[in-house]
Amino acid sequence: MGKRTETFHAFNPSIFILFFFSLFLSQHYCAEVYNITSSQPLAEGQTLVSPGHIFELGFFSPNNSANKYVGIWHKTIFPRKVVWVANREKALSVTDTLASLTINSNGNLELVDGKQSSIWSTNISVPSNGSAALLLDSGNFVVQDVIGTQLWRSFDYPGDTLIPMMLLGFDNKSGKRDVLTAWKSESDGSTGLFSVGLAPQIPTQMFIWINGSTPYWRSGPWDKTKFLGIPGMNDEYESGVNLDDNVQQGTKYFTFFFNRVLAYMEISYEGTLKVMYSKHGENWNLDWEAPKNPCDHYGICGPFGVCKASASPICKCLKGFKPKSQGEWSKGNRAGGCVRKTELFCGSNTSKSVPSRVKEDRFLKMSSVNLPDFHEHISNLGAEDCKVQCIGSCSCLAYTHINNIGCLVWSKDLIDIQEFASGGNDLFIRLAHAEFGK
């Protein structure tokens, strides 16, 4: 019996894998869209991609939770960091696979669930129905009309993250405030306990607040190049940080941009403010964070107390002051702060007709400190005039003169002073003459 010749080719697994992979790539590519219109909604499994493939928008569930959101993240950097969320306060169910993001009949961008109920909408007045939603390479998600006019921008509605070219600050005339608000937890994107923004002081400071009003951390005053309470702000950092304080328009806005580096600033649900960066599309790295040590927590040593992270205990009273309650202080509860040991000559009932020069108050210089809160700015005064101004006012408890700022004085309790190992500024504190000895 003759040998039968096989006419079919043997199975080649590598060809099969190549074919399957090509099919997967083809399907994946089809899942990417570049705009959202009334006729082209964004469905589960699809992503909206910016033109340069820098940012991506789609559905996600944080930490494999039951909550599902529409968010924006950097497309190629891992771990994936969501920088903006549309439906923060109203999560979809992770089991709802029929939800979609679309342009509705009145031209608004709208997120609907599987039952076509509205979950979130831009809620703006659109002049025509020819609008579309696009994701820009800046990370800004916009709705624009047929001629390209932007009608709505995600940058105007910050979440827990600030990315380059976004603004953090406020407009006094309109009353609009742009703040960062933390998530409630790792898996719950709704508004949490902590927020970050600028204070209306001159010069301004950046704060982390609890429940929108209780200070948790502050940056110190802005000196036109950096925040004085952040000693680690180096030259590279300064070059990309800007704060525009327009007194005439009543606006203060902070923004940042690093050349050749992708970055973001985030307030975590635990209350930590972080700046992260990525070079050449690599993984995220920590650049800076606050609060970093116990002394960074606002007012931890109370009024007229000073905190030094390297000391033990970390709190002490300023020279010329003693604990308000020695019992509480010895228990480690120092929030009550300190009180003056010797009454000031200025403002006392003592007659100043007798050798006043012997008794008059003097100023003690403290170096390398984070200046206390509640400063008052007196413009156009040199260092010596600043001192004279403070001496001449019995309500003035301390002063300093800062390059790029000018004269700062304090008339309220001195609170949230931190002594740095390096950096910081000089502070001149008013004390009774007796505190200086003979």
Side-chain angles (χ1 to χ4, degrees), residues 29-57:
Y29 179 79
C30 291
E32 292 182 357
V33 298
Y34 293 89
N35 59 23
I36 298 172
T37 64
S38 57
S39 60
Q40 181 177 282
L42 187 79
E44 179 93 22
Q46 291 181 308
T47 58
L48 179 69
V49 180
S50 70
H53 282 234
I54 298 172
F55 286 94
E56 188 172 42
L57 176 147

Side-chain angles (χ1 to χ4, degrees), residues 101 128 134 137 209 235 239 255-256 345 348:
L101 187 63
S128 68
L134 301 89
D137 279 336
W209 292 288
D235 293 338
S239 64
T255 188
F256 72 96
F345 180 70
S348 69

Side-chain angles (χ1 to χ4, degrees), residues 34 50 54 67-68 106 112 168 172-173 212 249 265 268 280 342 383 415 437:
Y34 293 89
S50 70
I54 298 172
N67 296 324
K68 184 160 64 176
N106 62 21
V112 294
L168 186 71
N172 279 329
K173 291 183 179 178
Q249 293 185 5
M265 176 185 284
S268 74
H280 314 300
T342 308
I415 192 166

